[in-house]
Amino acid sequence: MLRWWDKCWIGEKVKGSVALRSKINSGKAVPGIYLITLSEHMEDIMEIIPAVVLVQKAVYESCPLIIGIAKGKEEAVTLVQNIVEEVYQETGDFQVEEYIKNR
């Protein structure tokens, strides 16, 4: 099962986020939906992943913590910007993972 942050950021264009999460969790293709995850690479803060790639078992099993969901790539980029701005305003730093752990 995928790991979702319980206070997941949701893009304004996303409708029926609970149903979408259920579909994504069950391995069904959800075209046009993008997930924001914490990055597993030291040089990156977050990653944007098309939800449709999670139909591949290897990708599904290795997916990092999901912290946001957006409809369309443009909204996903905007959501990442919003997350970074929020974290910086709240903490004065860009440590998104630390911010999430402390919320």
Side-chain angles (χ1 to χ4, degrees):
M1 182 143 207
L2 297 171
R3 295 179 309 127
W4 295 81
W5 185 45
D6 58 343
K7 298 175 185 168
C8 194
W9 282 278
I10 299 173
E12 293 177 8
K13 295 179 183 177
V14 174
K15 305 291 183 232
S17 63
V18 173
L20 279 174
R21 283 173 65 156
S22 178
K23 283 183 182 180
I24 294 167
N25 280 336
S26 64
K28 294 181 181 170
V30 185
I33 298 298
Y34 288 79
L35 305 174
I36 314 303
T37 68
L38 292 175
S39 180
E40 294 183 326
H41 308 288
M42 296 288 290
E43 60 275 352
D44 299 323
I45 298 172
M46 292 174 274
E47 295 183 23
I48 298 172
I49 301 172
V52 73
V53 301
L54 295 176
V55 297
Q56 299 173 37
K57 188 175 182 179
V59 177
Y60 181 95
E61 291 175 351
S62 66
C63 185
L65 178 68
I66 300 167
I67 63 170
I69 185 169
K71 183 171 182 174
K73 181 94 179 224
E74 186 176 320
E75 184 175 62
V77 170
T78 301
L79 190 56
V80 166
Q81 291 171 334
N82 293 343
I83 292 168
V84 169
E85 286 175 11
E86 180 180 325
V87 170
Y88 185 76
Q89 287 177 358
E90 294 284 326
T91 67
D93 205 342
F94 297 104
Q95 301 298 322
V96 176
E97 187 171 359
E98 222 24 64
Y99 178 77
I100 287 172
K101 286 179 183 177
N102 295 322
R103 275 191 89 197

